[in-house]
Amino acid sequence: EPDDISIDEIQKIKFATMQARIGRSNNSVIVLEEDQNNILKWTSSNLIKIYTNRGYVVKLTGLKNELENLELDKFHPALSGNFDFDEEKIFTSFYTFDNPKLFRLPVKTKISFIREEEITIMGKLKKLKLFEEKSLENLISWDFINLLWVNKEGYIIKSKQSFTPKNPEIYLQLTKKYIKPE
């Protein structure tokens, strides 16, 4: 795995940041550009835009094949922040892709609690819950496994997520939290 971005480099940035990489690329810093009704829009230096809901990728643009929209199941824990379950749960979400166009592909996933883990992020030890989200049925036989490290507030702090069948996974790690103005 590539090295994490240094704490010094992150602290120089006055905005909310995440460490991100797609596939085997190096880690890079993405900066929060805006908050659109609790969907956070993060931007990289090469203008890749990553939109997240509570840390879950719901849109990604700037690549040849894009996730135009991910409509999460209304009970999906990334929407509610309610990851307080130990049994497996099944959800159906709808993916819309661009290049090639595919509108509202239904994808069933099963989310399972794996274990509690202590991991170090930005020099601080964090106690997180690890969940696995595994694809089940879909019309294009898209198989993936997402890994989600969730804090006690139900926010995804670290993840490995698949966002289209034509791109490698994205790895995200929250490095400087966004504090919403009152």
Side-chain angles (χ1 to χ4, degrees), residues 10 39 79 91 101 118 120 158 167 177:
I10 296 295
I39 303 295
L79 285 180
F91 305 95
K101 281 277 190 205
E118 288 188 347
T120 303
K158 180 179 176 179
N167 287 306
K177 185 178 177 181

Side-chain angles (χ1 to χ4, degrees), residues 18-34:
M18 282 204 304
Q19 175 177 281
R21 73 179 159 93
I22 296 175
R24 295 181 180 193
S25 65
N26 287 326
N27 286 319
S28 61
V29 176
I30 58 175
V31 177
L32 181 64
E33 183 177 334
E34 67 182 324

Side-chain angles (χ1 to χ4, degrees), residues 12-13 27 31 41 43 48 56 63 69-70 75 92 94 98 105 107 109 113-114 123 136 138 141 143 156 162 178 181:
K12 290 177 189 174
I13 302 167
N27 286 319
V31 177
K41 179 181 178 184
T43 303
I48 292 174
Y56 199 96
L63 301 173
N69 183 48
L70 170 53
F75 299 111
T92 302
F94 295 89
D98 189 29
L105 170 71
V107 177
T109 59
F113 171 74
I114 304 299
L136 300 173
N138 60 75
S141 301
D143 292 325
I156 300 164
S162 292
Y178 169 57

Side-chain angles (χ1 to χ4, degrees), residues 67-101:
L67 174 60
E68 203 168 277
N69 183 48
L70 170 53
E71 182 185 327
L72 290 170
D73 186 299
K74 66 181 179 179
F75 299 111
H76 195 287
L79 285 180
S80 65
N82 184 7
F83 281 90
D84 195 22
F85 57 90
D86 293 329
E87 73 284 353
E88 296 176 345
K89 292 194 172 205
I90 296 177
F91 305 95
T92 302
S93 299
F94 295 89
Y95 288 75
T96 297
F97 304 120
D98 189 29
N99 194 19
K101 281 277 190 205

